[in-house]
Amino acid sequence: MKKLLNCISVVALLVLTACGGATVITPMSEAVDFTIEGGENRVDVKADGSWKVKECPEWVKTEIQDSVLVITTERNETGAVRTGSIVLAGKGDAQALIKVTQAAKCTHITPGIDNVEFDKEGGTQTVNIDTDGALQVEAPEGFTASYASGVLTINAAANDGQARSGEIRLADGDQSATIAVSQKGNVCPKCNGSGTVKCSKCGGKGYTHKVVYGEYGERYDEYYGCKKCGGYGAKYSDGLLDPYTENGYGKGSGKQTCPDCGGSGK
Ligand SMILES: [Zn+2]
Ligand SMILES: [Zn+2]
């Protein structure tokens, strides 16, 4: 039954379109805009009969899909904004116009992420870029990058040296964007390979210092060995050891294990 209905509707459609051209043609958009990159725009067309594309700029392609006019353009390489009109025609004088405009400049470059990190083994990573430009790409030393069809592909070779970083620059005309890239290396950048960094408590001195004032305003300097980096005890500026400290006073190393590499230096 359903098949039969389908057959009937196909026949009805054929009869309807065969009946002749439209007397009223109404595109749902009177103007369509394309970016410099070009692409596809679809315009619904309401009509009481059949219609066709009568005129079209040579840089515009059209295709009729049922009641939809599919309009496509290639990238605008002319360097200038281009405009034109598509004329749809039905029966007799029945016509409708759709204005087509295409930009000549890149309007935006928007990377999906602004920071890419590689392990020291290197490899390939991609970043989606929202843009209507034909991007020029510059990559810092140690990295290569190329752009095609909305995707930036970044390569990093294996890194046997120190960690490295830089910026990938994307540009077209007066539009630009940057993406930070970094790669781990064989040498820990935090401790420069030594495996240790300055003690965070004493700032590398090995002790902490405190000034106190006595009953008559006299000044005392007190020094405490930094316990975090191996120091102990306390010392006063008059040379006396803290009587409550059994082992006397000793400064710490002023160093602590590098928190980034755990002391390996890599
Ligand atoms: Zn380190
Ligand atoms: Zn310390």
Side-chain angles (χ1 to χ4, degrees), residues 187-197 257-266:
V187 178
C188 171
K190 176 107 177 162
C191 63
N192 220 349
S194 69
T196 59
V197 293
T257 303
C258 173
D260 278 18
C261 63
S264 72
K266 290 181 178 181

Side-chain angles (χ1 to χ4, degrees), residues 199-204 206-207 226 228-229 254-255:
C199 171
S200 63
K201 189 172 181 208
C202 63
Y207 62 88
C226 175
K228 186 173 170 99
C229 58
K255 290 173 181 173

Side-chain angles (χ1 to χ4, degrees), residues 91-173:
K91 190 180 184 180
D93 293 339
Q95 282 195 346
L97 209 102
I98 300 170
K99 199 179 165 199
V100 187
T101 306
Q102 186 170 20
K105 268 182 153 183
C106 169
T107 59
H108 65 285
I109 303 172
T110 312
I113 51 171
D114 57 10
N115 187 12
V116 177
E117 290 174 5
F118 287 91
D119 287 329
K120 67 176 182 145
E121 289 77 16
T124 302
Q125 295 192 52
T126 57
V127 179
N128 290 330
I129 313 284
D130 180 12
T131 184
D132 53 9
L135 303 187
Q136 302 290 311
V137 182
E138 281 172 36
E141 206 181 325
F143 302 92
T144 58
S146 61
Y147 173 79
S149 310
V151 178
L152 182 75
T153 304
I154 308 169
N155 284 293
N159 185 13
D160 287 329
Q162 286 200 13
R164 55 192 171 195
S165 61
E167 274 185 346
I168 290 175
R169 188 166 185 278
L170 310 171
D172 183 2

Side-chain angles (χ1 to χ4, degrees), residues 31-234:
V32 290
D33 293 323
F34 288 92
T35 66
I36 183 175
E37 209 174 30
E40 182 184 289
N41 262 299
R42 301 171 74 87
V43 177
D44 275 319
V45 177
K46 291 224 164 97
D48 61 353
S50 65
W51 49 274
K52 60 176 185 175
V53 176
K54 189 183 161 196
E55 282 172 37
C56 179
E58 48 102 40
W59 49 274
V60 176
K61 283 200 184 76
T62 58
E63 190 192 335
I64 300 168
Q65 295 178 356
D66 297 325
S67 63
V68 176
L69 181 67
V70 181
I71 309 168
T72 52
T73 58
E74 299 288 318
R75 184 178 175 79
N76 183 0
E77 306 277 10
T78 64
V81 174
R82 51 189 178 187
T83 57
S85 293
I86 297 169
V87 179
L88 308 180
K91 190 180 184 180
D93 293 339
Q95 282 195 346
L97 209 102
I98 300 170
K99 199 179 165 199
V100 187
T101 306
Q102 186 170 20
K105 268 182 153 183
C106 169
T107 59
H108 65 285
I109 303 172
T110 312
I113 51 171
D114 57 10
N115 187 12
V116 177
E117 290 174 5
F118 287 91
D119 287 329
K120 67 176 182 145
E121 289 77 16
T124 302
Q125 295 192 52
T126 57
V127 179
N128 290 330
I129 313 284
D130 180 12
T131 184
D132 53 9
L135 303 187
Q136 302 290 311
V137 182
E138 281 172 36
E141 206 181 325
F143 302 92
T144 58
S146 61
Y147 173 79
S149 310
V151 178
L152 182 75
T153 304
I154 308 169
N155 284 293
N159 185 13
D160 287 329
Q162 286 200 13
R164 55 192 171 195
S165 61
E167 274 185 346
I168 290 175
R169 188 166 185 278
L170 310 171
D172 183 2
D174 53 8
Q175 298 292 315
S176 67
T178 55
I179 298 170
V181 279
S182 59
Q183 186 178 15
K184 289 178 181 153
N186 267 337
V187 178
C188 171
K190 176 107 177 162
C191 63
N192 220 349
S194 69
T196 59
V197 293
K198 269 184 192 172
C199 171
S200 63
K201 189 172 181 208
C202 63
K205 293 198 300 282
Y207 62 88
T208 54
H209 174 214
K210 193 169 141 193
V211 178
V212 290
Y213 291 94
E215 208 180 329
Y216 305 103
E218 70 277 30
R219 173 180 167 144
Y220 297 98
D221 287 273
E222 299 182 0
Y223 300 93
Y224 298 87
C226 175
K227 288 195 180 103
K228 186 173 170 99
C229 58
Y232 56 91

